[in-house]
Amino acid sequence: MLLTHLETCHLTEPIGYLLDPPVFSWTVTKTQAKKQAWARVEVAKDPALTQIVFDTGPRADVSSLGTAAEMATEPNTRYFWRVTVQGDNGEQASAASFFETGKRDTPWRGRWIKAPFAPSVHPYLRKSFMVPGPVVSARLNICGLGLYEAEINGQPVGEDVLAPFYNDYNLWIQFQTYDVTGLVHEGQNAIGAMLGNGWYRGRFGFGNSPDCLYGNDLQLLSELVVQTADGQTVTVATDSSWLCAPGPILAGNIYDGEVFDARLAIDDWSEPSCARDDFVPAIIADPPAGALSERLSPPLTIAERWTQATLVRTPKGEQVIDFGQEMTGWVTFPCALPSGAKVKLSFGEILQDGCFYNENLRTAKQEFCYISDGKCRQVRPHFTYYGFRYMKVEGIETVDPSQFTALVIHSAIRRTGTLETSNAKLNRLILNAEWGQRGNFLDVPTDCPQRDERMGWTGDAQVYCATASFNRCTPAFYRKYLHDMHLEQQQLSGNVPHVVPDAISLALRKMGRDPGHSHAGSCAWADAATVIPWTMYLFYGDKTLLAQQYANMRAWTEYLLRDDDAHGSPRLRTWGFHFADWLALDNPDKGSSFGGSDETYIASAYYFLSATLTAKAARVLGKKTDADRYDALADQIRAAMRQEYFTPTGRLAVPTQTGLALALALNIAPPVHRSRLVADLKVRLDKRKIHLDTGFVGTYFLCAALAENGLADYAYTLLFNEDFPSWLYEVNLGATTIWERWNSVLPDGRVSDTGMNSLNHYAYGAIVEWMYRYMAGIQPVESAPGFKRLRIHPLTDPRLTHVQAAYDAAAGLIRSGWQRTEGDVRYNVKIPFDCEAEFQLAGPVKTAAINGVPSDALARGETVMLAAGLHEIVAVG
Ligand code: BGC
């Protein structure tokens, strides 16, 4: 038996995070045991675990999905924890990990400081200090606004980039804590930071958005605490004894990129040897508006160094590097041009007529301008990022592509899912969705990484969160996003803005316009407040997390209810602004981005969904009064919808693909009329020669509704279509991520003139969830979330010969695959330790066997239970 993935609040060995309370999780592998007999978690203050401060004792109900330590923790303290698990066959294993608490309420020794320069100057700030003996430990608590990069003795601190990340800095500000023991030494040392605009002070918040959205000054707060072997403590905190000099960054923001003049670079700015006499003292700055807090953001790091690059010489004579993959991050290269020589890099997603193109970025410039100082330097941007596949290089006579490395940046959350099929184009589609996720998980789940938006659009986040959670381990990532969301909800009486953090409203206010409530409350967008928490619970089964995120759910559902009552309690949402089936193709007005399905029907359906999910969460959390209240509300909404939208004979008044799919998938349709709706949906699709009409909402539900209602072959046809509109149409046109629109690129390779076209928008990538759930058949089960109990119900299709999924679920590694040979289909299934699966074939077959033992029940199409372990199922006929 082996215990792996030991995590605290879904983070590996977190230091200085908000962990209230610490919640421990792990997985068990390499065991013959089927079930857990008991598990035990012990927490201590020493690595040998002798000074135990918390102990669950050996208990059957200690859960690997999340065991909260209801214990008081002290600030700045490392706690060691050990988990021991015993299986039902007596096998036992232990493993240990740690977490370290942050500063909490201990007062900061440092003060916010800034440089006494013109606001446009991006400063270096530094301080040298003595350490009088060998170092045994050093911790740095630090925050810089807008963004900072810190160094100690010439070495970067930690692996994060773009710290302190992105949230509404008026509502809270995350500082970071790093273990810098290895960077500080006895004798003379130096610490320093570079500051840049980022989201805080650069232009941000849509289109022609203003500068200084969150603040006016670049400023730093830092506190280094060093312990020496002889028991001395050295504290180096920001104050007016820090020294500043103008830095090499002349301009920069998230959308436009950066201008870096190496002639202003000071090579040893963070080293004790720095002997420049033109540094001037820092001045004390006003603290920013938001309250300082330990971080929730998981690490944001350079996840991959991408070296595949080819040079394209375009018909216009441009030198363009093709990285072969759309990604998000920076590019680095060595530069040894003469002093004053300029290099300009421009980033784009697609070529047009073989030439560089970036008009689809709208106002975002996405450039990096570098001015050489004549020295050979490894160059990279610092306080911006780019979404790109292509990069135009100007200022280098002959570009050698092998000199350019793309640095792929995203939130560092571990990969959990792989899915492979016998169809190469489907495999590319799966990869495109994964790249879309990587490109849009930059601390906030963004809509796109390249044009003048890059914001946390709630609708996109909501439809994609289950796919994201098959691909990667997401609870820490969404925990931070839902925290941001809840803070916004507190400002809006429970309502949810279209983007979180709500940069749009802030930008409008800055420009003297009152956003009112017009930037919040759209159906399917605002419902992220219920859908994401419930998805987290289904996928990870962590009740502590659900209890925290129940605040989002309840606040939004209560808002909906109050709004409804204010309109006379129709239990329908027939008012307000809604994106609804955004970008669907069935609007008679082809120039509109809104879909053709009645938005008030979609809004009412989501009202029903939010009430339902909030009721379910309340029930899980033992909040009976709430559960009854929201169940009753959901019943009333459904009854009102049945009256308003269904004729007595079952005709749906919104007979679009999206309308019908929603009625089926959300169980809104009166049960007696279900089969009629299925038939109507089939006719609808037949009329479109089985092609999509759907947008952000309908696309999410359509294939699931088909698969659940005996029309899996129709879902597969939609998936296999290669002509417009379809997923593989994009793949055939060379997409390496998911496009925003079905027709973002026309068959001749031209970007369509629809005015809004990102080639890296993951919303339609949510089809990958369908592939895991229906093709591989891996489904979470509500009564035992976190995949402790799962349903495996693969729907095979003759157009595929094999499918293989591996999913490192919260409960452990699940495999589900199938292989078609002549006459039979062989399924291989792996169920993790202490889990069980309901296995069901797609339909009745002549004969079936599990691990060589014939099973009539399986052959009849019934569900059979599978215990932990490997299983081979053969179905014939
Ligand atoms: C964004 C989205 C978003 C939408 C709202 C777009 O500009 O890029 O993906 O959800 O607006 O309708």
Side-chain angles (χ1 to χ4, degrees):
M1 182 180 280
L2 183 68
L3 308 185
T4 57
H5 301 329
L6 271 68
E7 290 174 346
T8 308
C9 293
H10 308 281
L11 295 155
T12 306
E13 300 179 346
I15 297 181
Y17 280 70
L18 255 190
L19 311 164
D20 284 337
V23 176
F24 307 114
S25 57
W26 61 91
T27 55
V28 181
T29 64
K30 294 201 167 41
T31 175
Q32 298 302 314
K34 304 282 177 218
K35 288 267 169 200
Q36 170 175 305
W38 54 261
R40 174 182 198 176
V41 173
E42 297 154 284
V43 184
K45 278 178 143 181
D46 61 316
L49 281 104
T50 54
Q51 305 163 41
I52 300 286
V53 291
F54 174 82
D55 185 355
T56 60
R59 284 197 343 236
D61 64 347
V62 169
S63 169
S64 67
L65 300 177
T67 291
E70 300 299 349
M71 60 186 246
T73 50
E74 291 163 29
N76 299 316
T77 306
R78 182 169 290 203
Y79 290 89
F80 299 85
W81 63 279
R82 175 171 61 203
V83 51
T84 307
V85 176
Q86 173 143 326
D88 53 1
N89 62 354
E91 274 184 69
Q92 208 187 81
S94 285
S97 182
F98 70 83
F99 66 94
E100 193 173 304
T101 56
K103 278 179 71 68
R104 300 277 175 73
D105 294 334
T106 50
W108 279 82
R109 300 282 292 277
R111 298 182 63 187
W112 284 97
I113 57 168
K114 62 183 181 181
F117 304 139
S120 60
V121 173
H122 294 57
Y124 289 119
L125 297 111
R126 62 171 267 117
K127 167 91 188 169
S128 25
F129 59 96
M130 257 311 276
V131 176
V135 174
V136 288
S137 95
R139 292 290 179 277
L140 176 65
N141 297 308
I142 183 165
C143 183
L145 293 169
L147 299 175
Y148 71 91
E149 283 185 9
E151 292 186 1
I152 292 176
N153 297 327
Q155 298 300 313
V157 166
E159 291 188 353
D160 286 315
V161 298
L162 302 172
F165 323 118
Y166 175 37
N167 49 265
D168 187 327
Y169 306 95
N170 293 321
L171 300 179
W172 68 306
I173 293 177
Q174 306 185 71
F175 65 87
Q176 290 70 49
T177 302
Y178 297 104
D179 179 352
V180 292
T181 311
L183 301 183
V184 184
H185 48 69
E186 180 176 7
Q188 202 63 36
N189 293 264
I191 178 169
M194 286 170 73
L195 300 175
N197 295 329
W199 297 273
Y200 186 77
R201 206 183 71 148
R203 97 182 167 88
F204 190 70
F206 222 157
N208 287 312
S209 41
D211 284 340
C212 299
L213 209 52
Y214 298 98
N216 297 322
D217 293 326
L218 298 179
Q219 52 193 59
L220 179 72
L221 175 68
S222 162
E223 178 183 82
L224 172 68
V225 181
V226 183
Q227 308 287 352
T228 65
D230 57 357
Q232 297 189 63
T233 302
V234 178
T235 304
V236 185
T238 38
D239 59 21
S240 53
S241 71
W242 281 55
L243 297 173
C244 325
I249 295 171
L250 301 185
N253 65 53
I254 297 293
Y255 294 156
D256 297 317
E258 197 162 283
V259 182
F260 189 103
D261 187 344
R263 293 170 301 185
L264 292 172
I266 300 173
D267 287 337
D268 55 358
W269 65 278
S270 69
E271 291 183 49
S273 61
C274 181
R276 297 262 299 236
D277 54 12
D278 51 353
F279 274 80
V280 297
I283 53 178
I284 302 297
D286 291 333
L292 275 168
S293 159
E294 273 104 0
R295 69 191 282 178
L296 280 178
S297 292
L300 179 62
T301 62
I302 296 171
E304 187 172 346
R305 306 179 93 83
W306 180 274
T307 53
Q308 294 169 45
T310 52
L311 183 67
V312 181
R313 280 191 183 275
T314 74
K316 285 188 187 161
E318 303 154 317
Q319 301 190 82
V320 173
I321 290 181
D322 176 3
F323 289 99
Q325 170 63 53
E326 166 120 10
M327 60 186 86
T328 299
W330 299 327
V331 169
T332 182
F333 63 101
C335 182
L337 292 174
S339 183
K342 290 186 187 150
V343 176
K344 183 166 140 191
L345 307 178
S346 309
F347 296 84
E349 299 183 279
I350 188 169
L351 301 180
Q352 293 285 267
D353 299 320
C355 296
F356 182 76
Y357 172 88
N358 60 6
E359 276 163 39
N360 65 326
L361 309 180
R362 301 193 303 220
T363 69
K365 284 207 194 91
Q366 273 221 126
E367 292 171 353
F368 179 54
C369 297
Y370 177 75
I371 305 162
S372 178
D373 62 344
K375 290 190 193 160
C376 181
R377 291 177 184 278
Q378 188 65 32
V379 172
R380 68 162 170 90
H382 293 256
F383 301 122
T384 187
Y385 69 88
Y386 309 94
F388 63 99
R389 168 175 170 172
Y390 297 95
M391 182 182 77
K392 180 167 77 175
V393 185
E394 292 168 281
I396 297 178
E397 215 163 297
T398 312
V399 170
D400 173 1
S402 71
Q403 297 287 298
F404 291 82
T405 302
L407 305 175
V408 182
I409 294 172
H410 54 82
S411 292
I413 54 175
R414 84 185 136 82
R415 180 93 189 253
T416 48
T418 56
L419 178 55
E420 203 254 321
T421 76
S422 51
N423 181 310
K425 289 179 182 174
L426 284 193
N427 294 343
R428 182 68 236 193
L429 172 64
I430 295 163
L431 191 60
N432 290 359
E434 156 68 5
W435 270 107
Q437 179 165 347
R438 297 179 78 183
N440 284 296
F441 266 43
L442 263 89
D443 195 47
V444 163
T446 58
D447 57 334
C448 59
Q450 72 301 72
R451 70 166 179 234
D452 50 5
E453 292 205 44
R454 314 188 194 190
M455 290 181 287
W457 282 96
T458 46
D460 311 44
Q462 177 266 114
V463 297
Y464 195 77
C465 75
T467 306
S469 306
F470 274 119
N471 284 336
R472 285 173 186 266
C473 184
T474 61
F477 179 79
Y478 286 119
R479 181 180 176 211
K480 185 268 178 180
Y481 184 60
L482 289 166
H483 179 74
D484 286 338
M485 186 184 291
H486 190 242
L487 294 176
E488 302 281 4
Q489 288 182 271
Q490 286 176 332
Q491 313 288 309
L492 296 174
S493 317
N495 200 352
V496 181
H498 301 337
V499 295
V500 171
D502 188 5
I504 295 183
S505 297
L506 201 57
L508 285 175
R509 259 185 246 120
K510 274 252 152 198
M511 294 187 287
R513 286 159 54 193
D514 175 14
H517 270 213
S518 66
H519 285 87
S522 162
C523 72
W525 270 247
D527 300 286
T530 54
V531 173
I532 302 178
W534 185 251
T535 306
M536 290 301 100
Y537 179 65
L538 265 188
F539 275 71
Y540 300 101
D542 176 352
K543 269 197 200 177
T544 311
L545 204 56
L546 184 68
Q548 288 163 355
Q549 295 169 355
Y550 181 69
N552 298 60
M553 305 179 85
R554 189 173 194 280
W556 169 234
T557 301
E558 282 294 329
Y559 176 87
L560 284 168
L561 179 55
R562 272 199 313 278
D563 192 35
D564 181 0
D565 287 342
H567 284 82
S569 313
R571 299 297 179 250
L572 298 170
R573 273 193 99 197
T574 51
W575 55 87
F577 169 81
H578 300 287
F579 292 112
D581 201 16
W582 184 245
L583 302 186
L585 300 169
D586 52 2
N587 190 331
D589 173 1
K590 292 297 166 209
S592 170
S593 292
F594 294 91
S597 305
D598 175 5
E599 76 273 17
T600 64
Y601 165 79
I602 297 178
S604 301
Y606 267 96
Y607 182 17
F608 170 69
L609 177 64
S610 277
T612 307
L613 297 183
T614 309
K616 284 184 185 183
R619 216 159 290 287
V620 167
L621 297 170
K623 298 176 188 294
K624 190 175 175 314
T625 318
D626 278 12
D628 292 346
R629 174 177 168 84
Y630 301 126
D631 269 337
L633 175 62
D635 285 346
Q636 289 164 18
I637 300 166
R638 182 157 55 185
M641 288 192 76
R642 286 179 178 171
Q643 198 172 4
E644 174 72 10
Y645 295 107
F646 294 87
T647 65
T649 51
R651 178 191 291 266
L652 177 60
V654 188
T656 57
Q657 291 179 9
T658 296
L660 291 157
L662 268 178
L664 291 167
L666 296 185
N667 261 326
I668 296 163
V672 287
H673 297 319
R674 263 191 99 81
S675 51
R676 169 178 182 164
L677 289 184
V678 175
D680 287 355
L681 179 56
K682 188 164 180 288
V683 170
R684 270 268 144 188
L685 282 162
D686 286 338
K687 281 193 183 150
R688 288 280 289 118
K689 297 198 171 61
I690 318 186
H691 277 77
L692 296 160
D693 259 347
T694 50
F696 273 33
V697 167
T699 306
Y700 179 73
F701 288 107
L702 181 61
C703 286
L706 293 169
E708 292 286 354
N709 290 285
L711 289 175
D713 55 331
Y714 272 57
Y716 271 109
T717 298
L718 292 171
L719 187 57
F720 285 122
N721 282 340
E722 298 198 16
D723 54 345
F724 168 79
S726 69
W727 288 278
L728 297 189
Y729 165 77
E730 301 185 9
V731 169
N732 283 343
L733 278 169
T736 61
T737 38
I738 307 286
W739 301 341
E740 179 170 21
R741 293 178 186 262
W742 294 117
N743 60 348
S744 282
V745 181
L746 303 175
D748 61 4
R750 302 206 68 77
V751 173
S752 78
D753 60 1
T754 37
M756 185 185 72
N757 279 297
S758 139
L759 304 189
N760 193 359
H761 241 71
Y762 58 44
Y764 290 150
I767 189 63
V768 170
E769 176 190 348
W770 185 89
M771 295 191 214
Y772 275 102
R773 280 181 184 256
Y774 295 99
M775 233 164 64
I778 302 174
Q779 306 252 12
V781 170
E782 265 178 31
S783 61
F787 295 86
K788 275 285 176 193
R789 183 173 182 130
L790 61 144
R791 176 167 157 74
I792 300 193
H793 182 46
L795 302 178
T796 60
D797 186 272
R799 287 162 281 188
L800 286 175
T801 55
H802 79 262
V803 164
Q804 185 63 54
Y807 176 47
D808 209 354
L813 181 65
I814 298 165
R815 283 185 199 282
S816 173
W818 48 269
Q819 171 104 36
R820 174 189 300 289
T821 54
E822 265 163 48
D824 66 18
V825 183
R826 279 163 196 270
Y827 299 83
N828 67 80
V829 168
K830 180 186 178 300
I831 310 300
F833 166 76
D834 203 36
C835 298
E836 55 188 1
E838 307 161 3
F839 185 90
Q840 191 183 16
L841 293 170
V845 290
K846 279 198 200 116
T847 62
I850 308 173
N851 301 324
V853 181
S855 166
D856 290 342
L858 205 54
R860 284 195 299 271
E862 292 168 18
T863 296
V864 298
M865 292 308 297
L866 301 180
L870 296 171
H871 304 274
E872 193 190 39
I873 292 130
V874 182
V876 182

